[in-house]
Amino acid sequence: MKYCPTCGEPNPDNARFCVKCGREIPSETTPSPAYTPPQHSPNPNMPETYLWQSIVVTILCCLPLGIPAIVYAAQVEKYYLQGNIDAANRASRNAKNFCIASLVSGLAIAIIYVIYLATVGSLLGLFAVA
Ligand SMILES: [Zn+2]
């Protein structure tokens, strides 16, 4: 079986002319690319969901910024399974950004807290001495 390069009609291997459109068929015709079934390109890998990172920063650092990170992280897989790779990539980026924001603000709060404790501690120390 070979395929007419003009119309895609299957023809016997020994056919010189297409049975459908009558055009000449080159002897070593391979199936014309236009009529081969479209190759299903394998899905690109699912973007990073940042799900566990979101949960960790929510628990350890900053709840208000961690929650949206978890929401976006959950969307990554949902969009990916729907085949909406662009949306999955966007959700992945958003999840990452909220993780970073949460981590940074968590660290800032921790540093302020440590400074606060150190200040209070040294004040108490002064009073203790006095
Ligand atoms: Zn033909």
Side-chain angles (χ1 to χ4, degrees):
M1 194 71 81
K2 60 185 178 182
Y3 294 85
C4 169
T6 307
C7 69
E9 182 74 13
N11 284 276
D13 275 327
N14 58 356
R16 287 269 292 121
F17 299 95
C18 174
V19 293
K20 188 178 177 191
C21 68
R23 303 283 181 95
E24 187 177 358
I25 300 172
S27 47
E28 64 282 352
T29 299
T30 48
S32 138
Y35 292 101
T36 49
Q39 295 284 316
H40 285 289
S41 58
N43 269 348
N45 292 330
M46 186 165 75
E48 178 70 63
T49 62
Y50 298 102
L51 186 57
W52 68 264
Q53 292 95 328
S54 309
I55 293 169
V56 167
V57 295
T58 303
I59 294 170
L60 295 184
C61 298
C62 185
L63 197 67
L65 291 170
I67 296 294
I70 291 177
V71 171
Y72 280 120
Q75 286 179 355
V76 174
E77 189 171 10
K78 190 186 83 183
Y79 284 132
Y80 175 77
L81 293 177
Q82 289 172 356
N84 196 343
I85 304 299
D86 279 347
N89 278 322
R90 261 199 310 279
S92 175
R93 262 200 311 277
N94 285 333
K96 183 174 135 190
N97 289 340
F98 273 107
C99 279
I100 293 170
S102 176
L103 189 64
V104 168
S105 52
L107 283 177
I109 291 168
I111 290 168
I112 291 168
Y113 188 62
V114 166
I115 292 171
Y116 169 80
L117 283 186
T119 310
V120 171
S122 57
L123 285 178
L124 287 177
L126 286 177
F127 285 124
V129 169

